[in-house]
Amino acid sequence: MASLTAGNRRPVRLADIAKAAGVSHGTASNVFSRPEIVREEVRERVKAAAEAMGYGGPDPKGRLLRAGKVNAIGVATAEPLSYFFDDPFARVMMAGISQACDATGAGISLVSAGNNEQLAWNIQSALVDGFIVFCIEGGSRLVQLARERKLPFVALDLASEDGSVATIGIDNVAGAAMAARHLTDLGHRRFAVLALQFVDGRTGPVSPEQVQTAVYAGTRDRLTGYFQELSRVGVDTSKVPVYETANDVASTIAALEAIFGVAEPPTAILAMSDRMALVALEWLSARKLNVPNDVSVVGFDGVPESAVSEPPLTTVAQPIAEIGRLAVKAILENDGTTNRRQLPVELIVRASSAPPRG
Amino acid sequence: MASLTAGNRRPVRLADIAKAAGVSHGTASNVFSRPEIVREEVRERVKAAAEAMGYGGPDPKGRLLRAGKVNAIGVATAEPLSYFFDDPFARVMMAGISQACDATGAGISLVSAGNNEQLAWNIQSALVDGFIVFCIEGGSRLVQLARERKLPFVALDLASEDGSVATIGIDNVAGAAMAARHLTDLGHRRFAVLALQFVDGRTGPVSPEQVQTAVYAGTRDRLTGYFQELSRVGVDTSKVPVYETANDVASTIAALEAIFGVAEPPTAILAMSDRMALVALEWLSARKLNVPNDVSVVGFDGVPESAVSEPPLTTVAQPIAEIGRLAVKAILENDGTTNRRQLPVELIVRASSAPPRG
DNA sequence: CACTTTCGTTGGATCGATTCAAATTTTGCT
DNA sequence: AGCAAAATTTGAATCGATCCAACGAAAGTG
């Protein structure tokens, strides 16, 4: 086989075709980046040379270095990459991010990794102009890594104490209080809470002391909101069972079994995510417990699935896509001001909540 | 405000900290890329300088140029970016791609664009080692652009005539024939076909001549498979209504209205995608037509949603995630051989198909 | 003590483009 | 033709790193 099509070709550079066409590399560059300023005859000659030599256009790797801007934003998470396509919350968020990126012509780079070292490396070597950090499990580490990169970044969902990190989120306390208020208004007085992570890698019942040491302020704030309202109507919050889950099916079911394995089970479940709430719906239905008549369930997030569950879920809806859009905007227009935005939430009452029996 | 934290800092370069630490840039580079070969005392000094000057580690932009490899693959489509997160087929595919990328430590860049020029630019300037091209609408243009980039790429779903483009796909003829065979075995003889695009940007009824001029070989092959089987049992395929849709709700409903707006409507629908089949299920149910008793519906793809529809959908399942994994592998191990793989499909019989009435 | 290894460090070359001031060619006008 | 203005083209500098041959110093050997 000669060197006709494939073979041991080292890539063709702009300089090569410049030489072939008998022009300077400056001119050759112009042919591709500002064709209008080069004389037609020359332009055609260079293009012909490029074609003949199999030149695929200016290599972005080279341009990049000069230009400085990558024109892409990185979306990072400590979850496996498939999280972006599986999790309903993430999907809606990504839709918002996508929309903003489409509008501005920016690309999206998904950053994640199997193990921890690779995560670090991937963040360190990501070709992006900034990061949107999905703070689920392992959020604090992610924020740390992103910060080290000295690029603009915004953290989602982790209302970190550290005021220096830009975040876009919601008023978790108020949102949670709305959910609880809805249930107390209906007359409920016996509650259980399905909580998101307070700290990484733990599931199970949560004591009040453990709440104090929460890494995830979002989780803590939602609990605060719930308890604020419950206290208001005289519920002893120290007796309200709070179960921490990994926001997956297994640990949520474990929590449910513990919650309903007692003599006087709750009449209402406050779930910190729709995902957990939806699992609860299924589990209760399998147990022949009627929602909302035996048990009311209120979720959090407002993912699309919550509207089509059986029964449709009462939930506190976040403007998820809007958060995504704003995050992109914050990074692209990064004006140096580290800002923290809070968007409004909305209680959506559907069929999963009703007054308690009797 | 002085230049304390923010300000008009131009970014710190490796050379800057080398000078500050009193070492050559070569040594400074080694501190980050091969720390073990530099004497501890020097290493600490350089690291301290980096810390002090707010250096965020070697800029990947610089490294990239030298290294040549980006370690990321681009996934391109002509649809808006959100397609990746909305469409069930795309999501399963992306899950497979993600998995393979996670395993090898490669990143994923989503490439798309609002308009056509931007698409070209985005493909030309994507920082990737290769492309996976989602050939839905506008597939041929995408393939063309990807090819011009002279990077390895594989096309999904578009079984292009052009043998020079690598593809990973399925045997569409055989898969479609299986679907049709299932229905003919049940006794059906009156059919209608919900077809994917034969050419870009057209929807509505399709004439046999139009089928010949199909740009999308996948669509054509599925129809061929359907008709092969229908002919075998004596159905006059020239009388079988074939409606081209954009694989969205609106055009599918329009097709359904045309299909059922006749005196003797079909007893079975052959849908070239689960998406259309699921729309058909809803539409039929709203029309008080019972599936499968009044009408049988068979989909194509085997997306997760098909298992939980009402009723669950009989469909031809592609190994979607596996296709994604293989595509990544093909690009990463790009050995220069343009190969075309065909993976097996499987008929999954669920509750949306039954013998026709009477 | 002279001589070979080993270890660390240096600085120039390179990756592939873009940019821009200066040089050169064309064009326009009288 | 003569000259200024406009249009093109040139080539050096730059972007931010990595690589590597060569070199100096310290350690080991006979």
Side-chain angles (χ1 to χ4, degrees):
Chain A
M1 310 264 171
S3 60
L4 223 168
T5 35
N8 60 339
R9 41 128 194 241
R10 53 161 168 17
V12 189
R13 303 188 314 294
L14 184 55
D16 297 330
I17 73 157
K19 193 187 306 175
V23 299
S24 72
H25 54 259
T27 299
S29 173
N30 286 334
V31 168
F32 292 98
S33 47
R34 283 134 67 210
E36 69 283 2
I37 75 163
V38 17
R39 197 153 42 95
E40 173 161 5
E41 187 256 320
V42 176
R43 199 193 315 147
E44 292 311 320
R45 184 148 42 92
V46 173
K47 277 187 175 162
E51 178 69 23
M53 303 181 69
Y55 181 62
D59 186 332
K61 293 203 287 295
R63 184 202 344 261
L64 180 58
L65 184 52
R66 189 98 243 283
K69 275 233 158 292
V70 181
N71 200 35
I73 70 146
V75 186
T77 175
E79 309 282 313
L81 273 176
S82 60
Y83 166 77
F84 290 118
F85 305 100
D86 290 341
D87 185 81
F89 183 84
R91 282 170 44 210
V92 179
M93 179 72 80
M94 290 308 298
I97 293 175
S98 301
Q99 206 177 314
C101 283
D102 265 340
T104 59
I108 295 183
S109 262
L110 269 20
V111 178
S112 163
N115 58 65
N116 243 330
E117 295 143 58
Q118 212 164 55
L119 215 212
W121 173 253
N122 283 353
I123 288 197
Q124 280 158 14
S125 63
L127 288 156
V128 297
D129 297 320
F131 285 102
I132 293 178
V133 180
F134 263 63
C135 299
I136 322 295
E137 181 99 18
S140 42
R141 177 164 160 66
L142 260 172
V143 167
Q144 168 66 6
L145 284 165
R147 190 209 309 278
E148 276 171 7
R149 190 76 141 71
K150 316 261 161 159
L151 285 177
F153 76 96
V154 336
L156 301 181
D157 215 29
L158 171 78
S160 158
E161 296 307 287
D162 182 348
S164 73
V165 356
T167 55
I168 298 182
I170 55 166
D171 188 337
N172 283 298
V173 177
M178 283 165 68
R181 174 69 185 255
H182 169 64
L183 289 169
T184 55
D185 282 354
L186 287 171
H188 289 275
R189 289 298 181 273
R190 291 210 314 278
F191 296 87
V193 175
L194 289 173
L196 292 169
Q197 305 255 267
F198 287 91
V199 301
D200 284 327
R202 190 182 62 193
T203 64
V206 183
S207 70
E209 307 85 64
Q210 288 177 311
V211 171
Q212 299 311 315
T213 61
V215 171
Y216 292 100
T219 307
R220 193 201 49 208
D221 291 349
R222 289 184 194 179
L223 192 65
T224 303
Y226 290 151
F227 279 7
Q228 235 170 45
E229 172 60 22
L230 299 193
S231 304
R232 200 185 59 83
V233 298
V235 171
D236 178 356
T237 57
S238 70
K239 299 257 170 59
V240 173
V242 176
Y243 280 82
E244 190 173 5
T245 81
N247 200 30
D248 62 359
V249 177
S251 57
T252 304
I253 287 182
L256 287 164
E257 277 166 355
I259 289 171
F260 285 91
V262 301
E264 264 209 335
T267 61
I269 301 287
L270 286 159
M272 288 196 194
S273 79
D274 284 352
R275 205 172 194 190
M276 289 188 287
L278 294 172
V279 171
L281 252 34
E282 285 221 0
W283 187 86
L284 290 167
S285 144
R287 287 289 182 112
K288 302 279 180 274
L289 284 168
N290 180 271
V291 177
N293 294 326
D294 297 321
V295 184
S296 286
V297 177
V298 177
F300 208 115
D301 286 346
V303 302
E305 280 80 344
S306 68
V308 296
S309 58
E310 187 45 45
L313 186 68
T314 295
T315 189
V316 178
Q318 303 190 42
I320 310 178
E322 180 65 11
I323 293 176
R325 276 189 289 270
L326 286 172
V328 173
K329 227 173 123 212
I331 286 176
L332 259 20
E333 305 173 349
N334 173 51
D335 44 10
T337 58
T338 5
N339 56 356
R340 342 191 77 214
R341 299 216 22 196
Q342 269 198 345
L343 270 36
V345 293
E346 183 192 0
L347 178 73
I348 300 185
V349 178
R350 297 205 187 92
S352 71
S353 51
R357 261 194 216 292
Chain B
M1 309 265 171
S3 60
L4 224 168
T5 35
N8 59 338
R9 42 134 190 233
R10 53 159 167 22
V12 190
R13 302 188 313 295
L14 183 54
D16 297 330
I17 73 156
K19 193 186 306 174
V23 297
S24 73
H25 59 265
T27 298
S29 173
N30 286 335
V31 168
F32 292 97
S33 46
R34 282 133 67 210
E36 70 281 3
I37 76 163
V38 17
R39 196 153 43 95
E40 172 159 4
E41 187 257 316
V42 177
R43 200 193 316 147
E44 292 311 320
R45 184 150 41 93
V46 173
K47 277 189 175 161
E51 179 69 24
M53 303 181 69
Y55 182 62
D59 187 332
K61 293 203 286 295
R63 187 205 339 265
L64 179 60
L65 185 52
R66 193 96 241 287
K69 275 232 159 292
V70 182
N71 201 33
I73 70 144
V75 185
T77 175
E79 310 282 312
L81 272 176
S82 59
Y83 166 75
F84 290 118
F85 305 99
D86 290 340
D87 185 81
F89 181 84
R91 283 171 43 211
V92 179
M93 179 73 78
M94 289 309 298
I97 293 175
S98 301
Q99 207 176 313
C101 283
D102 265 340
T104 59
I108 296 183
S109 261
L110 268 20
V111 178
S112 162
N115 57 65
N116 242 330
E117 296 143 57
Q118 213 163 56
L119 215 214
W121 172 253
N122 284 353
I123 289 198
Q124 280 158 14
S125 63
L127 289 155
V128 297
D129 296 321
F131 286 102
I132 293 178
V133 180
F134 263 62
C135 297
I136 322 294
E137 181 99 20
S140 42
R141 178 165 160 67
L142 262 171
V143 167
Q144 169 66 5
L145 285 164
R147 190 210 308 280
E148 276 170 8
R149 191 75 141 73
K150 317 262 165 168
L151 285 177
F153 76 96
V154 336
L156 301 180
D157 214 30
L158 172 77
S160 159
E161 296 307 287
D162 184 347
S164 72
V165 356
T167 55
I168 297 181
I170 55 166
D171 187 338
N172 283 298
V173 177
M178 285 166 68
R181 175 68 186 256
H182 170 64
L183 290 169
T184 55
D185 281 355
L186 287 171
H188 290 273
R189 290 299 181 270
R190 290 210 315 277
F191 297 87
V193 175
L194 288 173
L196 292 168
Q197 306 254 268
F198 287 91
V199 301
D200 285 328
R202 191 181 62 193
T203 64
V206 183
S207 69
E209 306 85 65
Q210 288 177 313
V211 171
Q212 299 313 312
T213 61
V215 170
Y216 291 102
T219 306
R220 194 201 48 209
D221 290 348
R222 289 185 193 179
L223 191 65
T224 303
Y226 289 151
F227 280 7
Q228 233 168 47
E229 171 59 22
L230 299 193
S231 303
R232 199 185 60 82
V233 298
V235 170
D236 178 357
T237 57
S238 70
K239 299 258 170 60
V240 173
V242 176
Y243 279 83
E244 190 172 4
T245 82
N247 201 28
D248 62 359
V249 177
S251 57
T252 304
I253 287 182
L256 287 163
E257 276 166 357
I259 289 170
F260 285 91
V262 298
E264 264 210 333
T267 60
I269 301 285
L270 287 159
M272 288 196 195
S273 79
D274 284 350
R275 203 171 197 192
M276 289 188 287
L278 294 171
V279 171
L281 252 33
E282 286 221 0
W283 187 86
L284 290 166
S285 143
R287 286 291 182 109
K288 303 277 181 276
L289 285 168
N290 179 270
V291 177
N293 294 326
D294 296 321
V295 185
S296 286
V297 177
V298 176
F300 207 114
D301 286 346
V303 303
E305 279 80 345
S306 67
V308 296
S309 58
E310 187 44 46
L313 186 67
T314 296
T315 190
V316 178
Q318 304 189 43
I320 310 178
E322 179 66 10
I323 292 176
R325 277 189 290 270
L326 286 173
V328 173
K329 231 176 119 206
I331 286 176
L332 259 21
E333 305 173 349
N334 172 51
D335 44 12
T337 58
T338 5
N339 56 356
R340 342 190 76 213
R341 299 213 24 194
Q342 269 197 346
L343 270 36
V345 293
E346 184 190 0
L347 178 73
I348 300 184
V349 178
R350 297 205 186 92
S352 71
S353 51
R357 260 194 215 294

